[in-house]
Amino acid sequence: MSVRGEPAKLDVMSQYLAGQGLQTSVAYFANSGFEMGRALQGKFFNLVFKVNQHQLLICDLQSRQEPKGIQSAVSEFVALIQQIEERVPEIHEVRGLLRTSGTDRERQLRSKLAEVLEKQGARRTEINGDHWLIYSCRRQFIH
């Protein structure tokens, strides 16, 4: 993934993050001109996401460093999802493809994240032969 210029208009997620003092940038696939989404560098993770209608699609999530006490890429990502649920009403669900490739560390991170999100109410779903983890924001049911 490489990061280059900025688009003219930010999606609702990037706008929310900017309001929190967190900047995102355009994320490109490898060294191509194919725009994957937006990149966010957290303290413990690197995240690439895309907003599609009312869905936050997780394109890539990588741990940046080893956990420190209870702080980790998983805890930082779950906290971000909770913020989205509370403060970004345009996002109704968060989706991520359950990939099985990658290093042992990457697979462990994905497995731990899936486990934590499933305890929070996420569900595994097959869509067009791919396995996805889908977290529905609970506030969408409260009106």
Side-chain angles (χ1 to χ4, degrees), residues 85-126:
E85 186 172 42
E86 293 172 10
R87 301 179 189 149
V88 188
E90 297 87 353
I91 302 294
H92 295 180
E93 67 181 23
V94 179
R95 291 181 171 214
L97 187 62
L98 290 170
R99 296 186 346 208
T100 56
S101 62
T103 67
D104 284 341
R105 184 175 178 204
E106 290 169 336
R107 287 192 305 272
Q108 287 173 352
L109 170 66
R110 288 186 211 123
S111 177
K112 180 65 176 170
L113 182 58
E115 178 184 320
V116 169
L117 289 174
E118 284 177 308
K119 287 180 182 176
Q120 303 270 333
R123 67 189 188 286
R124 292 175 188 251
T125 304
E126 186 175 325

Side-chain angles (χ1 to χ4, degrees), residues 15-66:
Q15 290 174 18
Y16 166 74
L17 292 168
Q20 301 302 305
L22 301 170
Q23 297 305 309
T24 61
S25 55
V26 176
Y28 294 91
F29 180 74
N31 291 320
S32 73
F34 177 74
E35 186 176 320
M36 287 177 52
R38 302 290 296 173
L40 171 66
Q41 185 174 0
K43 183 175 182 180
F44 289 92
F45 66 64
N46 288 327
L47 172 67
V48 176
F49 64 89
K50 182 181 275 188
V51 175
N52 184 10
Q53 296 178 11
H54 296 289
Q55 298 172 344
L56 177 66
L57 302 173
I58 305 305
C59 303
D60 191 35
L61 177 63
Q62 296 180 3
S63 178
R64 294 187 56 211
Q65 60 176 299
E66 293 296 321

